[in-house]
Each structure stands twice: as structure tokens, then as C-alpha cells.
Amino acid sequence: MESENKLGDYLRARRAMTAPPDVGFPDDPSRRVPGLRRDEVALLAGVSTDYYIRLEQGRERHPSEQVLQAIARALRLDDAAAAHLFRLGLPVLGPSGSSTATVGPELRRLLDGMHDVPAFVVGAAQDILAANAMARELYRGFARYDNLLRMIFLDAFAQEFYGDWEKAARIAVSNLRAASSRFPGDERIERVVGELSVRSPAFATLWARYEVRPRTHEDKHFRHPRVGELHLHFEALAVTSAPGQHLSIYSAEPGSTSGDGLILLRRLAEQSTASAQQSTASSQQSTASAERSITTEEGNPRS
């Protein structure tokens, strides 16, 4: 469980990840702490060392906007990381409300109509809320297709599937951090974090780094068990009508090896869909036949 001093936890984690040479200090081998010392951050931010120490320790709870801006510059925080710092330091400015887990019928129809690319909807906790046939086929090697973080950290297949598992894991955790920043106190996010922190040391280590970076687009490398190597471009589109939801889409350059791979993936998805429909139809026929048999027996009682 995380402490109540979230601002201090965040500052310590980011300070430890800031390389001294990146901010003008020599990389002294005799340093006893990773990253910057507290007095160095204070110097860069233009505040007293005592004030910064009180801020990290949680004894100073009301930093000004100017102080937070100075600390963000001192720690070389990007926009997403700085926004998280402000949400922690100035919670009155943080957003209210909660994420949405229900996918609307219009969005489901859109997914079903996307036949040429894998597409799926994820929630704030990275639960897979809806997916088209190609997305299900893309991730078919996993035991469960339910939550991207659980799949990455708890399913052994992930090590084979992701061309760079460590990169995928790091990006997934920093994306979850961004979601937790936007939806503080979200119960589903807290449950996912709690479960993975206990069951996956790798997740716990990355979560403690406090990297905050929403995943909007990137290039992905997959090793599909039937299609082979796939180099796909990923785009995450925010669903403005459903807070916390994103429509995730994979695509490939037409005519490329990966583009041909998506064509094969589509054929496999069509086969899987046809097989599932046939199985459902057979099951319905068997059920109907059994019901007719029961009705006939009831209408013709034995003498």
C-alpha cells in the first residue's frame, strides 16, 4: 500500500531518477544516493533546503503554484509528469468524477465494423471492455484477454508475445500511473494495483518509479504464434463520451510484411468467428431438439 504522503513519495521517486549530469551537477562516484540530493533539488528550484525537506516529508502541505513549477523544472518533468505533480500538490485543481466501464452500443457497432485492423476499448484500469474479432485473434495466445496489465505481468506468454517485454511493461505501468492521476481513488485502478503489487515483483518495482506518461501512440513489435513477426503502429483515441476509456487501434504500412500479416490475421479472425457461430448454432439446435423431445413426451404420457 502507498503512504498518505503521495506528494513526498512522488518527489523522492523523481529525484532518484534524475541524473546529476542532466541538470549540471558532476556525476560523483562517491554519491550515497541515486539521482539528486535534496539540497541539489532545492538549489535548482530556488527554495531553501529545509523547505524542500519539509515538502518531501509531508510537513509542508500547501506549496504554491510557483514552487511546484520550479520543482518541475528542477526535476526536468515533462508535461504529463508535471501535471501529476500539480494534482498532488494542488489537489483543489484536480479533476473530479470517476471513470466509466460501460461501452456504449454505438461504439460497439463501430468496433464490429472495423474488419481490417485490430481495435479494442480499454478502461482507466486497462481492462479490455470490448474488442473486435481481429483484436481477439491478435491476443489469442494469452490465457485470458481481460486486462492488459494482468496479461503483461502475470501471463508467461507475454514474454514470447512482446518483442520488447521490458519496454511494454514500463509503458503500461506509466500509463496506469497517468490514469490514477486523472482518477484519484478509482476503486478498479486500486484493485489492479493492489493485486499486481502482491503477485508481480516486476510490477511493484516499476510502480515505485512513479513514471507518469499516458500512452497515446507508439510502434509495437509482436510475435504472433500463427502470423509471426508484426510491427504495428498503435493509436489510442480518447472516448470523450466515456471518461477514462480509449479506443486502441493497430495498423501497418500497406504492402509491408506486417501489412500482409494483418491480412492473414483477418482471415484467422474470420475463421474463428465462423467456427464460433457454427458452434452456437449447433448448441441452439441441440437445445431446441431437446425441448421438442420433452414437449412430445409430456403430450404423450404413458398408459
Side-chain angles (χ1 to χ4, degrees), residues 29 35 47 149 186 225 290:
V47 298
L149 285 153
D186 185 278

Side-chain angles (χ1 to χ4, degrees), residues 139-147 150-151 154-158:
Y139 288 96
R140 186 167 295 278
F142 288 89
R144 290 161 53 189
Y145 182 44
D146 55 358
N147 181 281
R150 192 204 62 78
M151 292 159 63
L154 301 183
D155 195 318
F157 179 69

